[in-house]
Amino acid sequence: MEEKRKSYTFEEIKQKLVNYCIYQDRCHQEVEQKMQDFLLIPEAKDEIMLYLINENYLNEERFARSYIRGKFYLKNWGRLKIKNHLKFKGISEKLINKCMDEIDETDYQKTIEKLYNAYFSEQKGLKNYQKTMKTVRYLISKGFEYECIMNTINENE
């Protein structure tokens, strides 16, 4: 059975994309993907993208900053994981590095410490060095840098 798509006018599509951007900060790649839901000629896509950028509905720096804050402060991701996910979304390395100041260094250290202590204490029936190794692996999987993790461990011993 053929998929039936509802057809919209250019203005309706533009408004849907404005609403999509208002609801949450988006990157260009997400908006381009969303545009594929609609049958648009390339010129129309370009016009909508320009409109969204000019009217400040679409702003890559704002997106990167809010993404970094959200992933760090709400999901407790480390810098490496955040960076990789932003690169995957097509954000430039230069912009990512510029926006990384959204993460306060003191908060970063405290988060590593908090996650380390919580995960370490959950490990049962293991020797201390095994708990430490497992916890370090866990923190690396959350995107924290090995050096930062080791510094935190050494400061707390």
Side-chain angles (χ1 to χ4, degrees):
M1 200 169 116
E2 202 177 300
E3 184 185 331
K4 183 99 173 89
R5 287 192 186 184
K6 185 173 181 336
S7 60
Y8 296 99
T9 66
F10 178 77
E11 285 305 317
E12 286 172 329
I13 294 170
K14 192 159 96 173
Q15 192 52 51
K16 282 186 173 297
L17 289 162
V18 164
N19 294 343
Y20 181 68
C21 292
I22 289 173
Y23 177 73
Q24 175 184 320
D25 280 324
R26 309 285 179 182
C27 66
H28 292 208
Q29 190 183 58
E30 290 171 330
V31 172
E32 282 167 16
Q33 267 176 318
K34 185 72 176 167
M35 276 193 212
Q36 289 176 1
D37 295 352
F38 309 105
L39 301 167
L40 286 167
I41 59 170
E43 289 80 6
K45 286 182 182 179
D46 292 345
E47 188 179 324
I48 291 175
M49 281 300 261
L50 272 172
Y51 173 78
L52 294 172
I53 293 165
N54 290 338
E55 296 299 315
N56 207 20
Y57 292 117
L58 189 57
N59 180 319
E60 293 254 276
E61 182 173 340
R62 188 178 62 219
F63 166 78
R65 289 185 177 284
S66 76
Y67 189 89
I68 290 167
R69 282 192 309 273
K71 296 305 180 195
F72 175 68
Y73 288 102
L74 301 175
K75 295 223 187 238
N76 292 321
W77 285 10
R79 287 189 197 105
L80 298 175
K81 188 170 183 176
I82 293 170
K83 237 179 216 182
N84 286 335
H85 280 251
L86 282 170
K87 278 184 196 165
F88 184 71
K89 288 186 173 290
I91 308 296
S92 75
E93 180 113 24
K94 189 177 179 188
L95 184 57
I96 295 170
N97 292 334
K98 179 183 174 192
C99 296
M100 271 299 168
D101 63 1
E102 287 296 321
I103 300 175
D104 179 71
E105 199 52 50
T106 313
D107 291 345
Y108 199 71
Q109 293 306 321
K110 284 181 185 166
T111 300
I112 293 174
E113 199 174 317
K114 182 184 80 183
L115 292 173
Y116 180 87
N117 293 331
Y119 196 83
F120 187 90
S121 63
E122 285 172 12
Q123 307 308 310
K124 304 289 181 233
L126 297 171
K127 292 181 173 65
N128 264 357
Y129 78 90
Q130 291 171 312
K131 286 182 175 185
T132 302
M133 291 308 294
K134 210 170 171 179
T135 306
V136 167
R137 274 199 307 273
Y138 166 72
L139 288 171
I140 287 172
S141 77
K142 296 276 290 177
F144 292 95
E145 302 88 337
Y146 181 75
E147 298 75 37
C148 294
I149 298 167
M150 295 319 287
N151 290 343
T152 304
I153 294 171
N154 294 333
E155 284 171 12
N156 294 313
E157 282 183 352

